[in-house]
Amino acid sequence: MDYSILNDIIKSSKNILIISHVNPDGDTLGSMCGLYSAILDNFKKKCDILAVSKIPSVYEFIPYVNNIKSLEEIDKSREYDLVINVDVAAIDRICDAKILFEKAKKTINIDHHKTNNGYADFNFINPEASSTGEVLCDCFEKMGWKINLDTANCLYTAILTDTGSFRFDNTKPQTFEKASKLVEIGVKPADIYKRVYESDSKTLVMFQAHCISKAKFLCDDKIAYTVVYRKDMEKFSANDECMEGLTEKLRAIVTTRVAFVAKEMKSGGTKISMRSKFADVAEICEVFGGGGHKFASGCTIKAPVEEAVKKLLDEIEKREI
Ligand code: 5GP
Ligand code: MN
């Protein structure tokens, strides 16, 4: 990939907007703030950074997270010189910010999802990379940009969260090499670990215990799933943040091959979060207009939960899992 174009475009653009995906995770937020920090450090230029939905409180420690704007705080009629999407697998993942993307003079798409179809003017997609944070480490290195401690903390958080603490299949030698460089810059792995993984609320733990107790098991326990109803979320005062890591807990059962969580949405549809040990679940989610990675993907099915679960199970059962 020719990163010199990326350098030239960023250098020549006066006003830049960086956008993260809906229901932001550590990778999209760490990547967005890391890119913001790097542009500030290398070009003394401030970008606008945008999250189209609520930022989970667990990520409040990420440098520059307080600079993130919501859609309401951004002038939607504005024509940016450059809009950069980070970790955004498909254009509909930026929701109503699509208008800003379409109006921009130039657009860039930096990502690692294999389902990303290269919807921008310039696309930097590396499906071999563990995370968008890792793609950015590569970009910065190849462009010869400085990486200060703030940038390093952002990128480390992105890599750490998308590799599930360097445990998932996407963890490659290059992942450790990049993480190692960030640690050399001054990142403290134990500090970030505590911030990300030892900061669960009591509500999250109790709510997840409830969801797990309601789990259903099919095909000799190869399929594990649970349905999350709005009434249960209300009963526990649980928000979307309380779902974090729930699907992984069902996959962690030794017999599980495919796990999913089906969440009843306000709109009447069903949000699916899927994980697997062997099968390509991105393929299954793509059937419903979603996508993601081989072992971790998601989609929204336009049907009430019971019907959505049936549709999804039909798709799973068509395949070798
Ligand atoms: P999660 O289950 O944690 O919400 O998402 C797992 C993975 O699937 C993430 O990498 C995310 O980007 C992707 N993903 C989740 N929902 C969707 C969706 O509706 N569309 C697409 N294209 N990807 C999704
Ligand atoms: Mn990612």
PDB file of all heavy atoms in Angstrom, residues 21 25 27-28 87 111-113 130-132 162 293, ligand 2:
ATOM      1  N   HIS A  21     -17.000   4.011  14.108  1.00  0.00           N
ATOM      2  CA  HIS A  21     -18.259   3.310  13.813  1.00  0.00           C
ATOM      3  C   HIS A  21     -19.252   3.328  14.975  1.00  0.00           C
ATOM      4  O   HIS A  21     -18.879   3.535  16.129  1.00  0.00           O
ATOM      5  CB  HIS A  21     -17.997   1.881  13.312  1.00  0.00           C
ATOM      6  CG  HIS A  21     -17.392   0.943  14.312  1.00  0.00           C
ATOM      7  ND1 HIS A  21     -18.067   0.482  15.424  1.00  0.00           N
ATOM      8  CD2 HIS A  21     -16.171   0.353  14.358  1.00  0.00           C
ATOM      9  CE1 HIS A  21     -17.293  -0.351  16.088  1.00  0.00           C
ATOM     10  NE2 HIS A  21     -16.126  -0.438  15.476  1.00  0.00           N
ATOM     11  N   ASP A  25     -16.098   0.600  19.693  1.00  0.00           N
ATOM     12  CA  ASP A  25     -15.299  -0.306  20.515  1.00  0.00           C
ATOM     13  C   ASP A  25     -13.914   0.313  20.718  1.00  0.00           C
ATOM     14  O   ASP A  25     -13.642   1.430  20.267  1.00  0.00           O
ATOM     15  CB  ASP A  25     -15.231  -1.698  19.871  1.00  0.00           C
ATOM     16  CG  ASP A  25     -14.621  -1.677  18.473  1.00  0.00           C
ATOM     17  OD1 ASP A  25     -14.059  -0.640  18.066  1.00  0.00           O
ATOM     18  OD2 ASP A  25     -14.697  -2.705  17.782  1.00  0.00           O
ATOM     19  N   ASP A  27     -11.112  -0.452  19.387  1.00  0.00           N
ATOM     20  CA  ASP A  27     -10.317  -0.284  18.168  1.00  0.00           C
ATOM     21  C   ASP A  27     -10.699   0.992  17.437  1.00  0.00           C
ATOM     22  O   ASP A  27      -9.841   1.803  17.086  1.00  0.00           O
ATOM     23  CB  ASP A  27     -10.474  -1.516  17.264  1.00  0.00           C
ATOM     24  CG  ASP A  27      -9.521  -1.501  16.079  1.00  0.00           C
ATOM     25  OD1 ASP A  27      -8.464  -0.829  16.168  1.00  0.00           O
ATOM     26  OD2 ASP A  27      -9.814  -2.159  15.066  1.00  0.00           O
ATOM     27  N   THR A  28     -11.995   1.188  17.220  1.00  0.00           N
ATOM     28  CA  THR A  28     -12.404   2.380  16.462  1.00  0.00           C
ATOM     29  C   THR A  28     -12.078   3.664  17.246  1.00  0.00           C
ATOM     30  O   THR A  28     -11.620   4.655  16.684  1.00  0.00           O
ATOM     31  CB  THR A  28     -13.890   2.291  16.022  1.00  0.00           C
ATOM     32  OG1 THR A  28     -14.110   3.199  14.953  1.00  0.00           O
ATOM     33  CG2 THR A  28     -14.863   2.578  17.137  1.00  0.00           C
ATOM     34  N   ASP A  87     -11.860   1.947  11.033  1.00  0.00           N
ATOM     35  CA  ASP A  87     -12.475   0.714  11.524  1.00  0.00           C
ATOM     36  C   ASP A  87     -13.953   0.602  11.104  1.00  0.00           C
ATOM     37  O   ASP A  87     -14.727  -0.073  11.759  1.00  0.00           O
ATOM     38  CB  ASP A  87     -12.335   0.638  13.064  1.00  0.00           C
ATOM     39  CG  ASP A  87     -12.472  -0.773  13.610  1.00  0.00           C
ATOM     40  OD1 ASP A  87     -11.887  -1.691  13.023  1.00  0.00           O
ATOM     41  OD2 ASP A  87     -13.177  -0.941  14.630  1.00  0.00           O
ATOM     42  N   ASP A 111      -8.946   0.552   7.505  1.00  0.00           N
ATOM     43  CA  ASP A 111      -9.675  -0.547   8.144  1.00  0.00           C
ATOM     44  C   ASP A 111      -8.933  -1.873   8.021  1.00  0.00           C
ATOM     45  O   ASP A 111      -7.911  -1.979   7.323  1.00  0.00           O
ATOM     46  CB  ASP A 111     -11.066  -0.662   7.487  1.00  0.00           C
ATOM     47  CG  ASP A 111     -12.008  -1.553   8.275  1.00  0.00           C
ATOM     48  OD1 ASP A 111     -11.809  -1.733   9.480  1.00  0.00           O
ATOM     49  OD2 ASP A 111     -12.952  -2.085   7.659  1.00  0.00           O
ATOM     50  N   HIS A 112      -9.480  -2.888   8.709  1.00  0.00           N
ATOM     51  CA  HIS A 112      -8.902  -4.232   8.628  1.00  0.00           C
ATOM     52  C   HIS A 112      -9.980  -5.305   8.441  1.00  0.00           C
ATOM     53  O   HIS A 112      -9.675  -6.492   8.516  1.00  0.00           O
ATOM     54  CB  HIS A 112      -8.079  -4.537   9.891  1.00  0.00           C
ATOM     55  CG  HIS A 112      -8.932  -4.677  11.109  1.00  0.00           C
ATOM     56  ND1 HIS A 112      -8.967  -5.825  11.862  1.00  0.00           N
ATOM     57  CD2 HIS A 112      -9.805  -3.827  11.696  1.00  0.00           C
ATOM     58  CE1 HIS A 112      -9.818  -5.659  12.870  1.00  0.00           C
ATOM     59  NE2 HIS A 112     -10.335  -4.457  12.798  1.00  0.00           N
ATOM     60  N   HIS A 113     -11.236  -4.892   8.235  1.00  0.00           N
ATOM     61  CA  HIS A 113     -12.300  -5.889   8.041  1.00  0.00           C
ATOM     62  C   HIS A 113     -12.234  -6.464   6.623  1.00  0.00           C
ATOM     63  O   HIS A 113     -12.209  -5.705   5.661  1.00  0.00           O
ATOM     64  CB  HIS A 113     -13.679  -5.259   8.239  1.00  0.00           C
ATOM     65  CG  HIS A 113     -13.947  -4.825   9.645  1.00  0.00           C
ATOM     66  ND1 HIS A 113     -13.644  -3.563  10.103  1.00  0.00           N
ATOM     67  CD2 HIS A 113     -14.462  -5.505  10.690  1.00  0.00           C
ATOM     68  CE1 HIS A 113     -13.981  -3.489  11.376  1.00  0.00           C
ATOM     69  NE2 HIS A 113     -14.474  -4.644  11.766  1.00  0.00           N
ATOM     70  N   SER A 130      -4.524  -7.240  12.765  1.00  0.00           N
ATOM     71  CA  SER A 130      -5.400  -7.614  13.878  1.00  0.00           C
ATOM     72  C   SER A 130      -6.472  -6.570  14.122  1.00  0.00           C
ATOM     73  O   SER A 130      -7.558  -6.869  14.599  1.00  0.00           O
ATOM     74  CB  SER A 130      -4.572  -7.733  15.155  1.00  0.00           C
ATOM     75  OG  SER A 130      -4.034  -6.456  15.503  1.00  0.00           O
ATOM     76  N   SER A 131      -6.130  -5.318  13.805  1.00  0.00           N
ATOM     77  CA  SER A 131      -6.969  -4.199  14.222  1.00  0.00           C
ATOM     78  C   SER A 131      -6.651  -2.994  13.345  1.00  0.00           C
ATOM     79  O   SER A 131      -5.601  -2.965  12.687  1.00  0.00           O
ATOM     80  CB  SER A 131      -6.620  -3.837  15.671  1.00  0.00           C
ATOM     81  OG  SER A 131      -5.194  -3.703  15.776  1.00  0.00           O
ATOM     82  N   THR A 132      -7.530  -2.019  13.377  1.00  0.00           N
ATOM     83  CA  THR A 132      -7.238  -0.778  12.652  1.00  0.00           C
ATOM     84  C   THR A 132      -6.057  -0.084  13.337  1.00  0.00           C
ATOM     85  O   THR A 132      -5.256   0.583  12.677  1.00  0.00           O
ATOM     86  CB  THR A 132      -8.491   0.108  12.579  1.00  0.00           C
ATOM     87  OG1 THR A 132      -9.513  -0.644  11.914  1.00  0.00           O
ATOM     88  CG2 THR A 132      -8.245   1.388  11.807  1.00  0.00           C
ATOM     89  N   ASP A 162      -8.996  -5.326  20.205  1.00  0.00           N
ATOM     90  CA  ASP A 162      -9.430  -6.130  19.053  1.00  0.00           C
ATOM     91  C   ASP A 162      -8.783  -7.515  19.019  1.00  0.00           C
ATOM     92  O   ASP A 162      -9.256  -8.393  18.297  1.00  0.00           O
ATOM     93  CB  ASP A 162      -9.173  -5.387  17.729  1.00  0.00           C
ATOM     94  CG  ASP A 162     -10.478  -4.925  17.093  1.00  0.00           C
ATOM     95  OD1 ASP A 162     -11.455  -4.726  17.844  1.00  0.00           O
ATOM     96  OD2 ASP A 162     -10.533  -4.771  15.853  1.00  0.00           O
ATOM     97  N   HIS A 293     -15.697 -10.063  11.031  1.00  0.00           N
ATOM     98  CA  HIS A 293     -14.548 -10.957  10.876  1.00  0.00           C
ATOM     99  C   HIS A 293     -15.009 -12.411  10.882  1.00  0.00           C
ATOM    100  O   HIS A 293     -16.115 -12.711  11.305  1.00  0.00           O
ATOM    101  CB  HIS A 293     -13.562 -10.743  12.022  1.00  0.00           C
ATOM    102  CG  HIS A 293     -13.206  -9.324  12.220  1.00  0.00           C
ATOM    103  ND1 HIS A 293     -12.306  -8.671  11.417  1.00  0.00           N
ATOM    104  CD2 HIS A 293     -13.670  -8.408  13.102  1.00  0.00           C
ATOM    105  CE1 HIS A 293     -12.213  -7.413  11.817  1.00  0.00           C
ATOM    106  NE2 HIS A 293     -13.022  -7.230  12.828  1.00  0.00           N
TER     107      HIS A 293
HETATM  108 MN    MN B   2     -11.453  -3.353  14.518  1.00  0.00          MN
END
